[in-house]
Amino acid sequence: MRLLLPRGGGGRGLGGLRPLVAAALAVAILAGCGDKAGPKAAKTPTATPTPTPAETRSPAVAKGKARGDLAIGITEQNPNFFWAPGVRQGVAPEFVRWQDDMGRLKPSFYRLVLDWPSLQPEGGKPADLTHPYDGCLRGTPPCAGWAGVKDQLAALASRQKQHKGGWQVLVVITGSPDWAARPASGCERPGTQPRSRAPTASAMGAYRKLVGDVIALGGEVGVKLRYWSAWNEPNHPFFISPQRATCSTSATSLAAVRYAGLVRNLKRALDDAPGDQEYVLGELAGLDRSKTKSTSIREFLGALPTSIVCGSTILSQHGYITGINPVDDAARGAATHKCPKKHVVWMTETGVGAPHAGQDKRTSASSERRACRQLHRRLVRWYDDPRVTAAFQYTFREDDVFRTGLVTTGLERAFPVLREWQAWGGAARPAPTDPPPPRARCARAS
């Protein structure tokens, strides 16, 4: 189906803006395809860590790690894939058939994307956390609808009961509703929509209330929402526009200022809410070079206030296997602030396939196995890198425009990389400190 709005969702790689735009738009459309307490103690590295049982283990988080540690995460908006089998009746069989496979991923983390425009299209009214979605993929069947954030959290609760210590939630907010967006200004791309502009100062009360309402709903259904990201890909113009007042790379990045304001409001909301929540820095698009309409990882992090950078020890970064490995840029950018504690990196969007608009995924059996082996090598590299503690696959069901999923858009079959992710997160590797799979698991999946 032809889309009338820019497509949105997660930032990729790595070079020119055109590929980034397509990737950046995936989450917004997937989301809308239907109608603190004190600091934690640092983890003590050990030369030969002894894994704890899967039922009681805690996944690697942010407080430092030994070499050899990688937790696995997943992004997938449709809860009909991740209800624990048998919990929700009446789910379409095309989705039920994949629930066991989704469960065998045994992710330590789940990334929940809140598309603010679809949840709160009108100012002055509360966000609708039961907003219905038809569960199609850009209008493409098969479809299985759900009742907004409430169903997503309930499905997560069912998995957390099944997989103790797993499915911890990272919440990411994205997109300004029309009523909340700043007016057009500065160096913008043609066709920029209000959702791409940062929210106004007057909208920040509604932003904080959205955060509080979602935390309260999580409490009702029994899901703890500890980790929060203030905004998706703030260094990319689809998510914060304009990035600069004038179309020159010598102009100061406005995005860092806008993002810092969002983080301050997020922290205020988290501090006001009951429970133990913390913000995660970044969700940065994997841009290794600044351009007139975008901001590189290093420039963006360098421009942030030190209090914002040092207020979290988790730096979330996006980077796909066919592009650069952005870990050096992220770590060095944060290090310019000389924070008392070093950051660790969560790769909160990654995967293989075709993260560029219109790119051919090359879906022959040999190309799929080759991509799977690439993924294996990158995950091993991150496992060995003491700075990286988590990697999140984006997504489970493949978007036919942004093609990096684990199963086909029509849900007919899985790609080989599904088995590779299951090997990293499944029963054979119950703790993030366990050794990587000894070889890539790249047999063609059915």
Side-chain angles (χ1 to χ4, degrees):
M1 181 180 76
R2 181 179 296 275
L3 297 172
L4 302 180
L5 294 175
R7 302 170 179 81
R12 333 302 171 223
L14 306 164
L17 283 179
R18 182 177 179 183
L20 287 166
V21 171
L25 297 169
V27 164
I29 296 302
L30 287 173
C33 57
D35 251 347
K36 199 160 200 291
K40 298 193 302 182
K43 183 170 65 174
T44 302
T46 58
T48 55
T50 301
T52 56
E55 292 73 22
T56 59
R57 68 175 174 83
S58 295
V61 286
K63 310 306 178 183
K65 70 165 195 174
R67 179 178 181 271
D69 196 346
L70 190 70
I72 298 304
I74 184 76
T75 301
E76 171 55 53
Q77 290 297 91
N78 194 324
N80 292 296
F81 288 114
F82 55 87
W83 283 103
V87 172
R88 171 60 63 95
Q89 303 301 312
V91 177
E94 298 96 330
F95 290 76
V96 171
R97 69 168 289 203
W98 294 111
Q99 288 177 352
D100 281 336
D101 275 298
M102 187 81 164
R104 280 195 286 272
L105 291 167
K106 290 194 172 180
S108 294
F109 295 105
Y110 169 83
R111 182 168 170 265
L112 173 64
V113 181
L114 301 181
D115 184 61
W116 190 9
S118 65
L119 297 175
Q120 196 172 12
E122 296 182 50
K125 294 184 178 181
D128 181 4
L129 302 183
T130 60
H131 172 75
Y133 298 103
D134 66 11
C136 307
L137 202 295
R138 300 180 185 271
T140 301
C143 307
W146 76 91
V149 178
K150 186 173 184 178
D151 267 4
Q152 291 172 314
L153 294 180
L156 284 168
S158 74
R159 284 297 184 181
Q160 289 182 350
K161 290 175 183 177
Q162 179 190 62
H163 180 196
K164 301 299 183 183
W167 295 84
Q168 295 192 52
V169 185
L170 166 63
V171 186
V172 181
I173 303 172
T174 188
S176 294
D178 288 4
W179 57 267
R182 294 173 182 268
S185 65
C187 183
E188 291 196 325
R189 301 170 301 159
T192 294
Q193 300 295 309
R195 68 168 296 123
S196 297
R197 301 183 181 114
T200 62
S202 61
M204 286 293 94
Y207 174 95
R208 295 192 300 272
K209 188 175 188 308
L210 171 65
V211 173
D213 287 351
V214 174
I215 292 173
L217 181 59
E220 290 176 18
V221 303
V223 175
K224 185 177 181 180
L225 305 174
R226 176 162 186 173
Y227 301 105
W228 286 77
S229 182
W231 209 249
N232 188 55
E233 296 197 345
N235 61 328
H236 189 283
F238 182 75
F239 296 99
I240 290 186
S241 182
Q243 294 274 307
R244 305 176 195 278
T246 61
C247 292
S248 169
T249 54
S250 64
T252 300
S253 174
L254 299 174
V257 176
R258 303 285 187 247
Y259 175 75
L262 286 159
V263 172
R264 292 187 183 102
N265 278 278
L266 174 63
K267 186 177 185 306
R268 177 177 166 185
L270 299 181
D271 289 345
D272 288 346
D276 182 18
Q277 296 85 218
E278 59 185 281
Y279 73 87
V280 171
L281 183 70
E283 289 286 320
L284 297 178
L287 297 167
D288 56 342
R289 292 176 296 168
S290 290
K291 296 191 176 182
T292 58
K293 297 181 178 68
S294 64
T295 309
S296 72
I297 298 165
R298 288 203 203 185
E299 182 188 358
F300 185 88
L301 290 171
L304 289 176
T306 293
S307 61
I308 297 294
V309 177
C310 298
S312 174
T313 55
I314 310 171
L315 174 54
S316 59
Q317 179 63 54
H318 300 175
Y320 286 77
I321 305 308
T322 53
I324 65 165
N325 181 357
V327 175
D328 283 347
D329 282 345
R332 290 170 183 170
T336 61
H337 292 272
K338 303 184 185 304
C339 299
K341 294 182 180 180
K342 291 184 178 180
H343 294 79
V344 295
V345 178
W346 287 3
M347 297 301 304
T348 51
E349 282 192 20
T350 193
V352 298
H356 302 172
Q359 184 180 12
D360 180 9
K361 189 174 180 178
R362 302 186 183 93
T363 52
S364 68
S366 61
S367 67
E368 290 177 1
R369 289 193 296 270
R370 183 166 58 251
C372 178
R373 290 191 293 269
Q374 285 181 297
L375 173 68
H376 179 80
R377 289 191 294 269
R378 183 65 65 85
L379 292 178
V380 169
R381 183 174 178 181
W382 286 337
Y383 172 90
D384 287 336
D385 190 331
R387 299 168 298 182
V388 185
T389 61
F392 294 54
Q393 159 66 25
Y394 185 89
T395 54
F396 188 78
R397 184 183 187 179
E398 176 154 291
D399 181 343
D400 57 0
V401 172
F402 176 49
R403 304 174 66 191
T404 60
L406 300 182
V407 301
T408 58
T409 303
L411 306 185
E412 305 94 346
R413 69 177 183 90
F415 297 108
V417 290
L418 173 62
R419 304 297 178 236
E420 177 67 14
W421 280 106
Q422 287 173 336
W424 278 86
R429 190 175 175 267
T433 51
D434 286 340
R439 55 181 175 79
R441 307 294 178 88
C442 297
R444 187 167 182 137
S446 60

